[in-house]
Amino acid sequence: MPGGPAVELGRITPADLEEVGEFLHAHLNERLSARQWSAALVPPWPAPEPDHGFLLRAAGEVVGAYLAFYSVRQIGGATERFCNLAAWCVGEEYRSHGLRLLRAALGRKGYHFTDLSPSGNVVPLNLRLGFTALDTSASLVLNLPWPPRAGTRVVSEPREIDGLLTGQELQVYRDHARAAAARHLVVVQGERTCYVIYRRDRRKRLPLFASILHVSDRELFAAAVGPVRRHLLGRGLPLTLAEDRVTGPLPGPAVRLTRTRSKMYRSRTLRPEQVDYLYSELTCVPW
């Protein structure tokens, strides 16, 4: 800004978390307290980078932030690094500096990038920068008080979940067990288990929706979708948002959505089916 204070770009370090949380509470989403914001910026899984994204400062005050959640994943037998670009917020007077945050974030070398909640004006910008839109075709399902099904259990108690899962699914659970937005359940049918992660979402400001983020066994999930819906209804969630790429087709009455929220990724090597919603803001930030 001509005549204004210099605007400095820097990484979001642990020392900046409190101020960034206060900024995001004031300028992005006041439903989350400053403390909730600052806590959500620190993922519960081991991260390969020492920062949490990038910020802008003017006269010592935080005036912009672009959050990032980093992770190392095993995909197709290879070790892959991910950077999930999350909340992007810049004070109105400093909007001309917003692209500096984006350039810094995308300047990370050796990462695949995801943007799982781009706002409307960010989508075309991402496309110009080489991002690809994921297929977010989805259904809206009414959660009804289905009768219990013999031989099928829905488990949500943490200690029992930890004892039911093994291998990679157990690692995913332990990495996300303390993530603020992630909710966990396991469907048990005989010797089979299906691990499910969902989050509480808002539509038209109503926090009544369960958005399914992860399903480990689509076939079992579809077979047990009645008990799962009953469980979710008991948690105050009368509606479920189920993306085809996460859950597969589900039986029973559902409404196909004509418009869904965009999700995008940028990678030279990964296919869309190799990109999921784990280790991201969707599991960490409880909007």
Side-chain angles (χ1 to χ4, degrees), residues 44-45 158 161-162 170-184 195 197 283:
W45 56 82
I161 289 177
D162 196 83
L170 178 59
Q171 186 61 57
V172 170
Y173 171 67
R174 290 177 174 174
D175 284 344
H176 291 82
R178 294 183 292 108
R183 302 290 180 266
H184 312 269
Y195 174 41
I197 300 178
T283 64

Side-chain angles (χ1 to χ4, degrees), residues 116-127:
L116 305 178
S117 60
S119 60
N121 57 341
V122 174
V123 172
L125 175 60
N126 279 353
L127 290 173

